[in-house]
Each structure stands twice: as structure tokens, then as C-alpha cells.
Amino acid sequence: MATILYISKTPFSKLILQKIEEQTEMELIGCVLYTTNGLDIEEQPNVVLLDTESIALPEVTAAIKQLKAANPFVKVITIVGASQLDDSMAIIEAGSDSVIEKRPNFEDKLMLVILIQDAHYYAPSSVILDLLERLDELKKDNFDLFRKRLGENGIHISMKESLVAYFLKKNLRNNEIAECIQLREGTVKVHISQIYKKINIRGRKNVVHYLNKIMSNRVRMEEASPLN
């Protein structure tokens, strides 16, 4: 049984209240009017619906953190308007378990989100795409993963050469790479020469392209352009 607390600064949606009442697996245990003084909640729900309409983002994130601090196991479902979609990442980072956009007939989707199993998350597709882009950026900037991918693609180079290749992948100049890893620029040139030979690709632009490609596609060595 999902016990639900509904929090809103605006009048409570009669349709949401009706939908909850129709569900045998749900029980509404309270409606709390949000004020700028924060939340004073006595109920112990396992699901909180937080309608963020007319609530400033800092207050929204503070409310989510307060709810999670009071009960780490409560599922907080944040309801946002179209104008608040850009705030979704901050809402997720604050601890919201799901974000759902107010759209026509969103109430039916909301009922499903309430009932989804723990460890499952729902968010608008635009938010998911943003998350995937951020994860992809983090993946590309992870040196340990980069070194692992080198090995997976048959590229066995020293730690120093791996560091040089890591910054080479970012298209840095030799003097910039030297500054990043505290080497002489001449030493960096030697390492880059060895990297070219071991990867078996000619041309800095081609090497940079290949190093970035292995982070996303795990290409095999035979896909690289040979010297001959």
C-alpha cells in the first residue's frame, strides 16, 4: 500500500485526489499547504507528491532535502511545469526520486510512477537525454577508464605515454600537455612519437580522432589506419 502525502503551494488538484481515491493500492494520508516557512510534517508517508508550481527552486531543493533527511526511504515525486524543466537536474541532485512534467492527462502517468518499484526512476525524456550527455562527458574525462580502453583495444603503452595520450585526446598542444603532467616539452614529443608507432596511425589529427573513438565505440586495433 502506497501511503501518500501531497504537498502544494497552489490549490490541490481535484483530479489527482480523485485518481488516488480510485486506486486500491494507494491511500492519501494528508495534504500539506507549502509556505515559505518550510515544511512541518507529522505524517510518515512512503510517497510524497511535491507540486513545485509557484515555489522557487532553492525552496524546492531545500524541501526535498528536508523530506529525505526526515525519512531517507520516502519516495519523493516532484511535479514540475514546462517552465521548470530546466530545473530538473538540480531537483534530481537534491534527492528527488522521480520528476514528472505537468502535461495533458499527466495524472494517469503519475499514478503509474507512484507504483513503480524501488530503484526505478522516471523523468521526462529531455531530462534523461541531458543525464546521458553528462554521463558521456564524465566517461570521456575519466583517465582510469581511458587507460582500460587502451588495453581493451590492444594498445599497450607505459603510464607516462598513457597520460600524454589522455591529454592528446583533448587536443592539447605539446607545451600544454607538458605543463599538465610536469614534463619537458621535448619529452612529450618523444612520448607522442612512441604513441604514433604503437597505435600504428600517422598524423596528429587521426590519432586524436582514434583516441576519442575508443572511448565511445571500443574500436579494434584493426580499425585503425595502418602506416603502410
Side-chain angles (χ1 to χ4, degrees), residues 7 32-41 55 59 62-63 66-67:
I7 301 172
V32 175
L33 188 64
Y34 179 87
T35 69
T36 53
N37 296 324
L39 297 172
D40 183 16
I41 298 172
I55 305 177
E59 295 177 43
Q66 180 184 342
L67 290 165

Side-chain angles (χ1 to χ4, degrees), residues 17-198:
L17 296 175
Q18 178 187 331
K19 291 285 184 182
I20 293 173
E21 188 176 348
E22 291 173 355
Q23 302 295 321
T24 57
E25 305 93 341
M26 301 179 192
E27 179 187 359
L28 181 68
I29 63 172
C31 293
V32 175
L33 188 64
Y34 179 87
T35 69
T36 53
N37 296 324
L39 297 172
D40 183 16
I41 298 172
E42 296 180 359
E43 296 86 348
Q44 289 294 318
N46 50 36
V47 177
V48 171
L49 303 182
L50 176 59
D51 189 333
T52 63
E53 185 177 346
S54 300
I55 305 177
L57 178 61
E59 295 177 43
V60 172
T61 56
I64 294 169
K65 290 175 182 177
Q66 180 184 342
L67 290 165
K68 286 292 188 176
N71 180 3
F73 301 105
V74 70
K75 180 191 292 184
V76 178
I77 300 173
T78 309
I79 305 168
V80 301
S83 62
Q84 297 169 302
L85 273 179
D86 289 344
D87 297 334
S88 295
M89 291 304 304
I91 290 170
I92 291 169
E93 289 169 355
S96 179
D97 295 280
S98 283
V99 176
I100 187 165
E101 181 187 2
K102 279 186 177 179
R103 303 181 70 177
N105 303 316
F106 85 97
E107 294 86 359
D108 290 327
K109 187 177 292 182
L110 176 61
M111 296 303 107
L112 292 173
V113 173
I114 291 172
L115 294 173
I116 60 176
Q117 297 178 359
D118 293 337
H120 287 69
Y121 193 94
Y122 179 86
S125 57
S126 60
V127 177
I128 297 297
L129 288 172
D130 190 26
L131 275 170
L132 290 173
E133 286 177 5
R134 291 190 182 203
L135 286 171
D136 191 49
E137 287 302 313
L138 287 171
K139 178 180 69 175
K140 289 176 181 177
D141 276 341
N142 187 302
F143 173 72
D144 290 335
L145 179 58
F146 175 68
R147 186 162 168 77
K148 180 182 177 184
R149 289 288 172 84
L150 289 173
E152 288 174 347
N153 287 279
I155 304 168
H156 303 293
I157 57 180
S158 70
M159 179 61 75
K160 281 286 176 65
E161 288 168 347
S162 297
L163 280 168
V164 171
Y166 176 69
F167 288 106
L168 181 63
K169 174 178 70 71
K170 296 173 180 287
N171 211 21
L172 270 62
R173 296 185 178 91
N174 289 358
N175 64 321
E176 293 172 324
I177 296 173
E179 186 176 342
C180 286
I181 56 181
Q182 300 297 298
L183 289 176
R184 294 179 183 275
E185 188 173 345
T187 305
V188 169
K189 289 180 180 177
V190 171
H191 284 315
I192 290 176
S193 177
Q194 290 300 310
I195 291 166
Y196 285 10
K197 289 178 181 178
K198 292 178 181 179

